[in-house]
Amino acid sequence: MHEALLYQKMPNGVTRCHTCQWNCRINPNHLGVCQVYQNISGSLFSLNYGRTSSVAVDPIEKKPLYHFYPGSQVFSLGSWGCNFHCTGCQNWEIACPDTYERLFSSRTLLPEQAVNMAKEYHCQGMAFTYNEPTVWFEYTLDCARLAKNSGLYTVYVTNGYMTADALDTIGPYLDAFRVDIKGFTADTYKKLSKIQHWEKILAITERAKTQWGMHVEVVTNIIPTYNDDPEQLTGIARWIKTRLGELTPWHVTRFYPCRDMKDIHPTPIETLETAIEIGKGEGLKYIYMGNVPGNKSETTICSECGQVLIRRKGYDSEICGLENDCCRRCKSKLYIRLSSPAEGE
């Protein structure tokens, strides 16, 4: 066990966690909402420090991140627990484990070991993914510090429900913030994720970009009857354009039935196409359709002149029209980070 970094001690042995926006008030010998922070004798401890549920070498496109070091390999780490309880979670076995046996018997990977493995496998970065990295905060912070000192980029694949204190603590060591925006109403977030105050996710995402200069990409998994109405899609697209910028990628992904939402049909392709049109109508320049292999929107095309910039097929990427982070033909500056200038030549 590892003592939590962001919490306060209160009277009668109670602790208040300040890692995520639940700000759980936790009585002695009890757990927070995430089920991986526990009050032990009046001090708060992380139960999952270094405990891995998943370790893999992935293409960065799998996160998905399309405008961030395209074509690079990223060392991906996941743990246990989540501060959301999504009814359609695809990773619910690790996000909401029904027993601690798997957590405490899982492989322990210390930060130094993780960074060394990333370099051993010739990865250019590290991503904290698969489950919510915020509830693995102390470990991800230690890893991110070491990774940056070793010349690796760092990525959070997150639901965005972290506190400003947590964001500002890890901000100097985090390069990319790939955030899920699940809907655009309180009712949608309550039904899908059982949370309140969903607007704070938007504020944290804006802070990641403006305060810390992180690369931001947004994913919306479009679920029929939950968040596929034009009002919510318009709200998300307008917020991205207004608060994050027109060059910010928006990934609209196809839902597939899972966990407690097996009665919901997969998202019709026409719904995803409508979302893309709504996004374009709101002024977004780069919108991608996800979970639909082979669709034409996989390829990045310059919004100004039509030049093919990055050609994709599945998770394979070919940089073919970039010069540094500009379109080779029209010289428009783009919101794309490259591994090195030479890869855009």
Side-chain angles (χ1 to χ4, degrees), residues 28-50:
N29 303 316
H30 283 69
L31 297 161
V33 168
C34 64
Q35 299 293 293
V36 288
Y37 280 106
Q38 184 175 14
N39 180 335
I40 300 176
S41 301
S43 296
L44 191 63
F45 287 87
S46 164
L47 303 182
N48 63 353
Y49 188 94

Side-chain angles (χ1 to χ4, degrees), residues 110-299:
L110 296 178
E112 296 84 355
Q113 294 172 303
V115 171
N116 287 337
M117 287 181 67
K119 294 191 291 185
E120 177 184 345
Y121 285 102
H122 306 291
C123 295
Q124 291 178 260
M126 295 183 69
F128 307 102
T129 179
Y130 305 130
N131 75 308
E132 174 52 45
T134 300
V135 303
W136 207 17
F137 183 73
E138 291 75 16
Y139 179 78
T140 63
L141 175 62
D142 289 345
C143 282
R145 282 180 175 142
L146 289 175
K148 292 295 291 179
N149 288 336
S150 298
L152 301 173
Y153 64 68
T154 53
V155 176
Y156 248 37
V157 178
T158 179
N159 58 35
Y161 205 59
M162 64 196 307
T163 62
D165 283 347
L167 179 69
D168 291 348
T169 301
I170 200 170
Y173 314 105
L174 205 57
D175 295 307
F177 199 81
R178 212 290 286 135
V179 64
D180 292 307
I181 301 298
K182 297 178 180 294
F184 218 67
T185 68
D187 185 59
T188 296
Y189 265 96
K190 184 177 180 180
K191 288 193 297 184
L192 286 178
S193 306
K194 311 294 190 298
I195 70 156
Q196 301 174 342
H197 310 301
W198 68 278
E199 299 96 334
K200 293 182 179 180
I201 297 170
L202 308 183
I204 286 294
T205 302
E206 293 171 25
R207 188 177 183 88
K209 180 178 176 65
T210 59
Q211 180 76 17
W212 294 107
M214 293 182 202
H215 176 92
V216 175
E217 298 194 24
V218 177
V219 169
T220 302
N221 191 28
I222 299 182
I223 306 172
T225 74
Y226 281 81
N227 61 359
D228 61 342
D229 54 283
E231 291 77 16
Q232 289 195 77
L233 296 175
T234 299
I236 296 170
R238 188 170 296 167
W239 168 74
I240 295 172
K241 165 65 163 39
T242 303
R243 308 300 296 183
L244 302 178
E246 63 182 8
L247 300 180
T248 303
W250 185 28
H251 303 261
V252 292
T253 61
R254 192 180 196 192
F255 165 83
Y256 285 97
C258 192
R259 204 188 179 195
D260 297 330
M261 298 181 71
K262 293 181 179 178
D263 58 330
I264 305 295
H265 293 293
T267 316
I269 301 299
E270 294 79 9
T271 301
L272 300 175
E273 291 173 341
T274 297
I276 290 175
E277 290 306 311
I278 288 173
K280 289 180 178 178
E282 290 298 321
L284 295 181
K285 302 297 186 182
Y286 296 99
I287 310 170
Y288 300 101
M289 186 185 298
N291 295 339
V292 184
N295 73 86
K296 63 182 181 180
S297 77
E298 287 182 329
T299 293

